[in-house]
Amino acid sequence: MAAANLQEVVVRLAKEYGEQKPPPLKDPFDFVIYENVSYLVTDEYRWKAFRNLKQTIGLRPEDILSASSDQFRSVVELAGVDKKGRVGKLIRAAQIAMKEFGGKVSSVLELPQKKAVTALKKFPSIGEASAEKIMLFCGKGDELPLESNGLRVLVRIGFGAEEKNYNVMYRNARSAIADQVVRENTWLVSAYLLLRRHGQTICKTSAPFCSKCVVADVCAYGQRKLR
Ligand code: SF4
């Protein structure tokens, strides 16, 4: 089996899935709200919940902090499986935005990448990968963040080994791809979204469709399964 090359993998996924676009947001706080507004839902549903919040309450931290319980009622209806928790997280995010950023979270875009990621991790539901993704979608950073779907795809292909500890597996995969990452924003955004899409649709957690996969010939897991 030929060794996998990340750039070739991304080219093949791009041919398969076409152009993938991130949510049309530009402000880091919008992304924080987008992440927190709903839980365990599809992208389409999350976007609907986000738009609903924007229309009924507004997206500024001060809008969220001054919203009434009536305004929050329709937000809760679209909150996914964690209805009460979502409202608490939105309010907490708005409080952090005011306290830590003076209401202007976009100021993180002026910070060096590591400091910006650390700052964004103060928000609820924002870990290192989410923080890097927010920076990337706002045009900053030169790392390829991986959410769980993209990580699963890369590890199965052979970039790093499967580990029980998610953080260890994440770091191993990132070092395995480090010299193949194209450190340019358009490529990074595209690679992030394509790997995620592939993990959501073909390289599923429990039953990957390896016989339909466009990178099966360079995938260690796929080759074992299809033998
Ligand atoms: S061959 Fe199978 S395991 Fe490998 S990337 Fe494709 S779907 Fe995933």
Side-chain angles (χ1 to χ4, degrees):
M1 186 188 80
N5 175 281
L6 178 64
Q7 293 174 28
E8 174 61 24
V9 167
V10 171
V11 166
R12 289 201 209 173
L13 296 181
K15 275 191 193 146
E16 180 71 6
Y17 299 115
E19 187 185 2
Q20 305 292 300
K21 289 189 178 171
L25 308 172
K26 285 290 165 223
D27 188 287
F29 189 64
D30 289 355
F31 280 107
V32 169
I33 294 304
Y34 181 76
E35 295 287 337
N36 279 283
V37 72
S38 206
Y39 184 56
L40 287 181
V41 295
T42 62
D43 289 351
E44 292 72 23
Y45 189 99
R46 184 179 298 281
W47 183 247
K48 185 178 169 189
F50 177 83
R51 297 276 305 166
N52 178 53
L53 174 73
K54 183 178 181 183
Q55 278 156 13
T56 51
I57 291 178
L59 296 176
R60 297 178 310 159
E62 51 268 51
D63 295 331
I64 294 168
L65 291 175
S66 60
S68 66
S69 47
D70 272 356
Q71 283 175 298
F72 273 121
R73 200 159 295 136
S74 74
V75 170
V76 167
E77 280 167 18
L78 294 176
V81 299
D82 174 32
K83 294 193 184 304
K84 277 190 184 167
R86 292 298 105 188
V87 171
K89 283 176 189 258
L90 291 169
I91 291 172
R92 178 90 189 108
Q95 288 169 336
I96 291 168
M98 295 304 287
K99 186 169 172 226
E100 305 278 343
F101 302 89
K104 197 167 177 276
V105 180
S106 58
S107 60
V108 293
L109 300 176
E110 309 304 320
L111 296 175
Q113 176 75 357
K114 275 194 175 172
K115 283 192 174 173
V117 167
T118 302
L120 287 170
K121 280 167 64 181
K122 291 176 181 171
F123 288 107
S125 313
I126 306 296
E128 186 172 326
S130 297
E132 285 187 354
K133 177 190 70 177
I134 290 171
M135 292 297 285
L136 198 60
F137 286 180
C138 290
K140 300 283 181 174
D142 62 359
E143 294 286 348
L144 177 59
L146 302 164
E147 46 67 72
S148 59
N149 292 288
L151 178 61
R152 181 172 65 254
V153 171
L154 288 182
V155 169
R156 282 176 173 169
I157 288 174
F159 292 107
E162 183 120 25
E163 299 276 353
K164 280 189 181 152
N165 184 309
Y166 186 90
N167 292 332
V168 172
M169 187 164 71
Y170 188 90
R171 301 220 176 278
N172 287 349
R174 288 250 293 205
S175 25
I177 60 172
D179 61 355
Q180 296 181 26
V181 167
V182 179
R183 302 195 184 274
E184 186 271 318
N185 187 263
T186 306
W187 188 90
L188 291 166
V189 170
S190 175
Y192 174 89
L193 294 170
L194 287 165
L195 289 166
R196 177 174 183 258
R197 173 84 183 267
H198 191 56
Q200 286 174 326
T201 56
I202 296 288
C203 193
K204 288 172 170 278
T205 310
S206 55
F209 300 115
C210 299
S211 59
K212 294 184 177 170
C213 177
V214 292
V215 294
D217 61 313
V218 293
C219 174
Y221 182 109
Q223 287 298 301
R224 285 197 302 277
K225 195 175 168 204
L226 295 171
R227 212 177 274 154

